[in-house]
Amino acid sequence: MDSKEKGTKTIAEDKYRSFLHDEAETTEWRHGGPPSYDSVNQLFEEGRTKEWPKGSVEEIVQNAIKSWEMELSHKTRLQDFKTINPQKFKLIVNGREGLSAEDTLRIGSYNALLKSSLPDELKYYKAEEETFESSHEAFRSAFPRGFAWEVLNVYSGPPVITFKFRHWGFFEGPFKGHAPTGQKVEFFGVGVLKVCPSITFLV
């Protein structure tokens, strides 16, 4: 693993996320500094079903999504984002109205991705009642080792990339009054990215 010198301290590079330590001292971090992904990286490596060749389009897409999620969760200013063009970015989930970069950063990834039109009595998670902070607290509590993510297939692109993904973790902490069971929680999905040649998102 590569490392960088920060003053007299050597910081290991994350194998799956770019821009984690680039300009770290001038980036405005939500929790005061770059996060550590050691725990979820271990979960990912132990549970992944694919190991893509270095430099393959599958690996590039997988790492690009992980890098974007890192920035969205831990950087507070769009000017510090390197994975997207904030002026062109739009997040569309299940056919809903698209969210701008500003809106996505304001409400957070969980609320942006989990908003649902189900009747209230069928919702275990009500995104409209959560803040950025409360949503992250809820899922950090429920999945203390993190929620790992992998690309299963890439079907097209770039510049329009269609891919299938898998997301999983273990319910090892309390969630909204529900006691942990230790069971694996897993789901699959399909995503589409519109990107520039450097795989910077222009969705």
Side-chain angles (χ1 to χ4, degrees):
M1 182 182 295
D2 294 334
S3 62
K4 287 189 176 181
E5 294 286 342
K6 295 293 182 182
T8 59
K9 185 178 180 181
T10 300
I11 302 175
E13 294 289 280
D14 190 286
K15 292 184 288 186
Y16 309 112
R17 293 164 185 84
S18 302
F19 317 122
L20 185 54
H21 297 295
D22 293 354
E23 302 176 14
E25 294 174 354
T26 58
T27 296
E28 188 172 289
W29 296 98
R30 192 170 297 276
H31 303 291
S36 169
Y37 281 89
D38 290 348
S39 180
V40 75
N41 284 349
Q42 181 178 351
L43 180 67
F44 166 72
E45 290 170 356
E46 291 173 350
R48 62 186 168 186
T49 62
K50 305 281 188 178
E51 189 166 354
W52 299 111
K54 188 172 180 60
S56 65
V57 67
E58 292 87 357
E59 188 213 34
I60 291 170
V61 171
Q62 182 169 266
N63 291 354
I65 294 289
K66 290 175 186 282
S67 298
W68 170 73
E69 183 280 331
M70 175 276 296
E71 292 195 310
L72 182 59
S73 295
H74 295 282
K75 294 181 178 181
T76 62
R77 303 182 303 187
L78 287 175
Q79 69 194 61
D80 294 326
F81 280 47
K82 305 293 182 61
T83 56
I84 64 170
N85 180 329
Q87 285 71 47
K88 295 186 177 182
F89 178 88
K90 192 169 290 292
L91 177 67
I92 301 171
V93 181
N94 295 334
R96 296 199 308 267
E97 183 178 355
L99 293 171
S100 67
E102 291 84 356
D103 288 337
T104 306
L105 179 60
R106 176 178 53 82
I107 67 176
S109 56
Y110 293 115
N111 293 330
L113 295 169
L114 295 177
K115 186 177 180 181
S116 171
S117 58
L118 287 170
D120 281 353
E121 63 270 18
L122 298 179
K123 292 180 182 178
Y124 287 100
Y125 180 81
K126 298 179 180 179
E128 62 276 8
E129 297 180 2
E130 302 288 343
T131 65
F132 186 112
E133 291 76 16
S134 70
S135 66
H136 278 257
E137 288 172 5
F139 285 98
R140 276 197 299 265
S141 170
F143 301 101
R145 289 191 285 161
F147 211 61
W149 192 93
E150 69 170 338
V151 163
L152 297 178
N153 286 292
V154 173
Y155 301 112
S156 66
V160 179
I161 299 173
T162 304
F163 62 95
K164 183 179 181 180
F165 66 86
R166 170 177 170 253
H167 216 358
W168 77 98
F170 291 86
F171 182 25
E172 297 169 326
F175 178 77
K176 302 289 185 182
H178 297 276
T181 65
Q183 291 180 309
K184 181 166 68 175
V185 177
E186 178 180 44
F187 71 89
F188 300 83
V190 173
V192 178
L193 301 175
K194 294 180 182 178
V195 301
C196 71
S198 64
I199 314 295
T200 298
F201 302 168
L202 300 179
V203 179

